[in-house]
Amino acid sequence: MSVAVESIARPRLVAEGAGVGVSCRGVVKDFGDGQTRLRVLHDIDVEVMTSELTLLVGPSGCGKTTLISIIAGLLDPTAGDVELFGVRQSKLRGRALVDFRAANVGFVFQQYNLLPALTAAENVAVPLMILRQKRSTALEAAREVLAQVGLGDKADSRPSQLSGGQQQRVAIARALVHGPRLLVCDEPTAALDAHSGRTVMELLRQVAVEPDRSVIVVTHDSRVLELGDRTIEMADGSVVAPGVESPRHSEVA
Amino acid sequence: MRWIAWKMLTGDRAKYLGTVFGVAFGVLLIAQQTSIFVGIIGRTASQIVDVREPDFWVMDPYTQNADDIKPLAASDLYRVRGVEGVEWAVPLFKGQVRARTSTGHFWQSILIGVDDQSLVGAPPKMLQGDVADLRRPDAVIVDEIGYRLLWPEGQIELGRELEMNDRRAVVVGICDVSSPFFTFPVMFTRYSLAMGYVPPQRRQMSFVVGRVSKGFDQEEVLADISEQTKLVAYDDDQFFWTIIGYYLRNTGIPVNFGITIALGFIVGAAIAGQTFYLFTLENLKQFGALKAMGLANPRLVGMVLLQAAIVGIVGYCLGIGMTAAFFEFTADLNPNLRGLYLLPQIALGAAATVVVIVIIASVMSLRKVLVLEPAVVFRG
Ligand SMILES: Nc1ncnc2c1ncn2[C@@H]1O[C@H](COP(=O)(O)OP(=O)(O)OP(=O)(O)O)[C@@H](O)[C@H]1O
Ligand SMILES: [Mg+2]
């Protein structure tokens, strides 16, 4: 993606089976137990390619957030396994999984989740500080990435001084600053108006998609469907369409 | 991450000040209430504490405090003097009289009669006049606040006259004393004069006070006095604590005040703990985001503890400062608050309490942070 990010030294994983970034095998997720046990994901098999923007769509409550939480290592599956760039998640436990996430996963949330007390640049620098980079180095890199998302002049603004769209762009910069292999975005445009939503999606296409990276965007937003390369459709805890290439993708390709 | 913790804490200035002042207010309540309690209880022994020359106090075994005294026989003085190791021993009178001014004001007063020759027991700090003036005819020395009670109008001037038990007394000096438990004037006069200022009784001598000769073991001499005279001999400290113990056991002060202190403690602790706990709760979502981004639990714990430490230290310093300032300023405003101040032991106790409160609040906060599923960040 960028000079700034590439210049940050961090251990990279060797990509195995180029093209497939994430693969889920037999992923099952239950919530609760006993009487209240609820199966939210039924035996999910799905693959997410690198160098593409993959959309995850489906009706409300079908399990999209649950699935990306499992893929990102935030939730343990009840059964099945997730392989991220050749690393089986079930082999990573506790601290190793947390550190793996810090180095390899970027997040964009519907509610931005920026720290209100920090400026835009400081927010963007947080993942680098989690990776124990010096604050000054981290802030420098953060400013460069902010410039790439078109907010070079807002580096010293607090989130409260930014519009929703701008906050989401800061969040995207934060998600990418450490050059993660996987970017997961849960309804990044849901809180935005049509115009800002489209800007955010276009920005994601532009700055996030990289040969070595998988980008998953959960969305409800029919207005942005055409901006994905591939669409995985879920219904009721199962994948009903495991990765249909979008027309736009075929055109581009 | 320490830097981020600091920013999170202080970023919202209003919230930060609210949290810090919550702790400060808690500390103020705890330290101020405890200080007042300790100060008030200590006043029951004020007139004893002010007598500095002697090492020991001899009294009737039934005397348990400094207000309700069973007098000794005149011969007891000589019996105490006869004990080996007693360097000197003199009588001391302490009682209550009604003093009347020429304007017709009268006031219940504490009368202290000091040894005619040595003036042992005379006020330690004179504001006007001299202790030696007690040797003049009908001489009394009155404490400053007492003087104001007796003569509310006009300047303080020496030479004013009083009547006690139909006998004349002349004010020859003004002194400063430790505040008595009741706001009564405190008057000092010679022992022989004091005998005239109170109604005659078979026995008059309240205490024999004295000092142990050099080279003798104080404890042994005191034991000998008690044994040979069948009276009780205490050193300063023992007498002080006997008096305090009496009031703690036999009055409603500890219960009533105890309730107030307990309330101060509970309210103070609740405010301090609660504000910090709420602060963490409000930031739970931010901690969740950091957790999702791969911040491991030990570092999150470090952040919360750092925030707790800052809130605790800043809040404590503010609260103790406010307490000290309270006593500093109110002493001038109201004589009843004179002599009450923040003891270092209480400041330390308040510090220990803050540490405990902050630890409890942090542990409660941390439980929330640690069990926090990072996946919550995806939920609105
Ligand atoms: N922690 C949990 N405990 C119990 N049930 C849960 C939990 N999280 C999610 N669920 C349930 O799992 C199902 C799937 O939830 P999920 O949030 O993954 O859906 P979604 O597809 O993201 O929906 P939406 O489009 O509304 O965000 C829902 O029925 C939900 O109630
Ligand atoms: Mg969802």
Side-chain angles (χ1 to χ4, degrees), chain B residues 120-365:
Chain B
V120 163
K125 191 174 163 203
M126 295 299 293
L127 301 174
Q128 283 187 39
D130 193 278
V131 169
D133 294 335
L134 275 183
R135 297 209 161 89
R136 286 160 44 182
D138 303 330
V140 294
I141 293 173
V142 183
D143 75 297
E144 188 185 14
I145 290 168
Y147 188 98
R148 289 275 174 226
L149 294 172
L150 289 161
W151 292 284
E153 305 93 19
Q155 291 282 318
I156 288 185
E157 53 188 65
L158 301 183
R160 295 228 196 194
E161 295 197 0
L162 285 165
E163 224 172 66
M164 290 181 278
N165 192 29
D166 298 328
R167 302 274 298 259
R168 193 182 86 111
V170 184
V171 176
V172 299
I174 307 294
C175 65
D176 193 19
V177 293
S178 303
S179 301
F181 184 67
F182 293 107
T183 311
F184 289 165
V186 184
M187 296 200 220
F188 296 84
T189 189
R190 296 195 305 277
Y191 188 84
S192 58
L193 273 178
M195 296 303 101
Y197 290 141
V198 292
Q201 276 181 335
R202 198 166 57 83
R203 295 177 159 210
Q204 297 277 38
M205 189 166 61
S206 312
F207 304 106
V208 171
V209 298
R211 187 168 278 181
V212 173
S213 304
K214 286 214 172 57
F216 282 84
D217 181 75
Q218 176 165 316
E219 219 173 299
E220 277 173 26
V221 175
L222 263 52
D224 288 348
I225 296 174
S226 301
E227 159 131 16
Q228 292 174 30
T229 61
K230 303 292 175 228
L231 303 172
V232 202
Y234 289 132
D235 65 23
D236 285 351
D237 240 27
Q238 287 167 335
F239 192 26
F240 177 81
W241 287 111
T242 305
I243 297 169
I244 305 283
Y246 173 83
Y247 281 94
L248 289 179
R249 281 192 308 276
N250 295 296
T251 67
I253 305 169
V255 177
N256 291 319
F257 232 106
I259 291 172
T260 314
I261 295 191
L263 278 180
F265 236 82
I266 293 168
V267 172
I271 293 173
Q274 180 81 350
T275 44
F276 182 72
Y277 180 61
L278 283 181
F279 172 80
T280 317
L281 279 197
E282 281 172 18
N283 288 334
L284 215 48
K285 199 141 189 227
Q286 300 182 37
F287 284 118
L290 291 172
K291 213 168 167 172
M293 286 189 272
L295 190 65
N297 275 339
R299 292 168 79 193
L300 277 171
V301 170
M303 287 178 75
V304 173
L305 289 183
L306 177 69
Q307 291 174 342
I310 294 170
V311 166
I313 290 169
V314 177
Y316 172 78
C317 291
L318 262 174
I320 282 295
M322 278 161 32
T323 312
F326 170 86
F327 288 119
E328 188 65 35
F329 293 123
T330 51
D332 294 338
L333 294 179
N334 186 338
N336 285 319
L337 287 165
R338 253 171 41 110
L340 296 182
Y341 55 93
L342 177 64
L343 291 170
Q345 290 93 323
I346 292 175
L348 269 180
T353 312
V354 168
V355 169
V356 171
I357 294 167
V358 166
I359 286 176
I360 292 173
S362 322
V363 167
M364 283 171 55
S365 311

Side-chain angles (χ1 to χ4, degrees), chain B residues 10-168:
Chain B
T10 56
D12 184 337
R13 197 151 311 160
K15 211 185 283 176
Y16 171 63
L17 289 181
T19 312
V20 163
F21 270 98
V23 175
F25 187 59
V27 170
L28 172 71
L29 267 179
I30 291 168
Q32 190 239 29
Q33 291 295 313
T34 318
S35 296
I36 290 182
F37 173 68
V38 170
I40 297 265
I41 263 295
R43 282 177 176 186
T44 57
S46 281
Q47 274 62 62
I48 305 309
V49 172
D50 278 352
V51 179
R52 306 209 179 134
E53 299 97 326
D55 291 336
F56 63 79
W57 296 72
V58 183
M59 67 207 76
D60 188 276
Y62 288 104
T63 297
Q64 289 176 299
N65 63 64
D67 295 318
D68 182 14
I69 299 160
K70 189 158 184 283
L72 304 172
S75 59
D76 287 333
L77 174 62
Y78 304 103
R79 293 167 60 211
V80 172
R81 284 180 179 165
V83 175
E84 200 192 345
V86 171
E87 187 185 337
W88 53 258
V90 295
L92 186 79
F93 173 83
K94 180 175 182 292
Q96 288 191 8
V97 290
R98 209 156 70 160
R100 202 159 65 88
T101 64
S102 53
T103 54
H105 272 94
F106 51 85
W107 211 283
Q108 192 72 19
S109 306
I110 296 165
L111 181 67
I112 309 238
V114 304
D115 179 46
D116 286 48
Q117 276 82 49
S118 62
L119 300 185
V120 163
K125 191 174 163 203
M126 295 299 293
L127 301 174
Q128 283 187 39
D130 193 278
V131 169
D133 294 335
L134 275 183
R135 297 209 161 89
R136 286 160 44 182
D138 303 330
V140 294
I141 293 173
V142 183
D143 75 297
E144 188 185 14
I145 290 168
Y147 188 98
R148 289 275 174 226
L149 294 172
L150 289 161
W151 292 284
E153 305 93 19
Q155 291 282 318
I156 288 185
E157 53 188 65
L158 301 183
R160 295 228 196 194
E161 295 197 0
L162 285 165
E163 224 172 66
M164 290 181 278
N165 192 29
D166 298 328
R167 302 274 298 259
R168 193 182 86 111

